[in-house]
Amino acid sequence: MNARTEPEEEAESDAIARPPLVRELLLVAGLFLVYKFGRQLATGHTGEAFHNAHRVWDLERAVRLPGEGSVQSLLLHGDTLVHLANTYYATVHFPVTAAFLVWLYLRRPAHYVWARRVLAAVTAAALALHLAFPLAPPRMLAATGLVDTAAVYGPSVYGPPRTDHLSNQFAAMPSLHFGWALMVAVGLIAATRSRWRWLWLLHPALTLLVIVGTANHYWLDALVATALLGATLAVIHLPHRTATTAGRARDDLAPAPERELVGAHR
């Protein structure tokens, strides 16, 4: 009797854990719009943004962080490589984060709610910091000697700062490109049990090289994003792993014959 009703109980548990789809779509879209419009509040602080940029650059040299130019020099060995880096910066950020949330929503509902809350909190904190500390990216700061690779080699997601009304280019710190990429890796490592799951850390590692090598961010932008994410994860705790989610994770990783045998015993 219990064997017959187990699939029904598991399906019911999933239905309860998974939030309504329409509500989630509206919530995520609303958060995105609030962030996009909120960033516009920081536009126009050009002088302060460049002043802060000099302070960040000098601080990095004072604490002897590696020069961003060493990463960029690797990209500039060939047009193809730097073009790929610019393409990665322009196209990977949002789609990968969206795919991450969709997968969690469909396969790990409890982890989805946790990840969505973490991303929302990190993004809100980043917006507050963007408003309080406008920062010109290194590609705009002549003292860095760095090349604006997107403008020179393409593709570029930014227009001239004075005419770009879709983004705030003085919001370099913290880097949400890196913060979101790191959360994607952390979320997938937490939600899966594959022996290969640690390879997801390659995504934030590659993102870090791209954002620094293309002169869109300083090292400190990524360090601050990491600190914000760490503080958020300390407050918004990972959901407890239930018997249902643990069993589903084992089934996902089991070879096909083993899954068939499990289903046959039911």
Side-chain angles (χ1 to χ4, degrees):
M1 183 70 175
N2 291 338
R4 292 180 181 177
T5 59
E6 183 182 352
E8 296 177 2
E9 291 173 355
E10 185 172 318
E12 183 179 356
S13 175
D14 288 347
I16 294 174
R18 186 174 292 112
L21 177 59
V22 174
R23 188 193 73 181
E24 289 303 306
L25 290 174
L26 293 175
L27 179 60
V28 172
L31 289 173
F32 174 75
L33 291 175
V34 168
Y35 175 70
K36 292 296 289 185
F37 284 119
R39 290 183 67 169
Q40 301 309 310
L41 297 176
T43 59
H45 299 276
T46 304
E48 185 179 359
F50 277 96
H51 176 68
N52 289 334
H54 282 286
R55 293 168 60 190
V56 167
W57 183 254
D58 291 342
L59 176 60
E60 287 191 344
R61 307 291 75 78
V63 299
R64 299 184 182 277
L65 286 179
E68 286 83 351
S70 61
V71 179
Q72 185 171 92
S73 63
L74 297 176
L75 297 182
L76 295 179
H77 279 304
D79 292 357
T80 301
L81 186 59
V82 70
H83 184 81
L84 287 174
N86 292 331
T87 302
Y88 189 96
Y89 180 86
T91 62
V92 171
H93 179 48
F94 284 108
V96 167
T97 307
F100 163 68
L101 290 173
V102 169
W103 186 85
L104 287 182
Y105 180 86
L106 295 175
R107 301 300 298 273
R108 303 288 189 272
H111 284 81
Y112 162 79
V113 174
W114 164 71
R116 187 249 291 151
R117 288 173 178 169
V118 170
L119 284 172
V122 168
T123 304
L127 174 58
L129 190 51
H130 293 162
L131 296 174
F133 191 77
L135 179 65
R139 59 186 169 82
M140 293 184 181
L141 192 64
T144 66
L146 297 174
V147 177
D148 186 346
T149 60
V152 176
Y153 299 93
S156 177
V157 294
Y158 302 119
R162 292 183 179 181
T163 60
D164 186 358
H165 301 295
L166 297 178
S167 59
N168 173 23
Q169 297 189 45
F170 298 134
M173 181 182 290
S175 169
L176 282 179
H177 266 76
F178 182 74
W180 286 12
L182 185 58
M183 181 54 200
V184 168
V186 169
L188 289 173
I189 290 170
T192 60
R193 287 295 178 268
S194 168
R195 70 179 70 178
W196 303 105
R197 68 188 186 278
W198 296 100
L199 290 177
W200 284 111
L201 290 172
L202 292 175
H203 175 47
L206 181 57
T207 299
L208 178 60
L209 294 178
V210 165
I211 63 175
V212 171
T214 57
N216 280 292
H217 287 283
Y218 307 89
W219 293 115
L220 282 177
D221 299 338
L223 291 175
V224 172
T226 302
L228 282 179
L229 178 59
T232 303
L233 290 174
V235 175
I236 304 177
H237 300 292
L238 183 71
H240 293 294
R241 194 171 182 81
T242 63
T244 299
T245 57
R248 190 185 299 112
R250 288 194 298 269
D251 290 346
D252 289 345
L253 299 175
E258 184 177 338
R259 290 199 299 269
E260 292 176 1
L261 289 175
V262 172
H265 286 300
R266 289 181 182 177

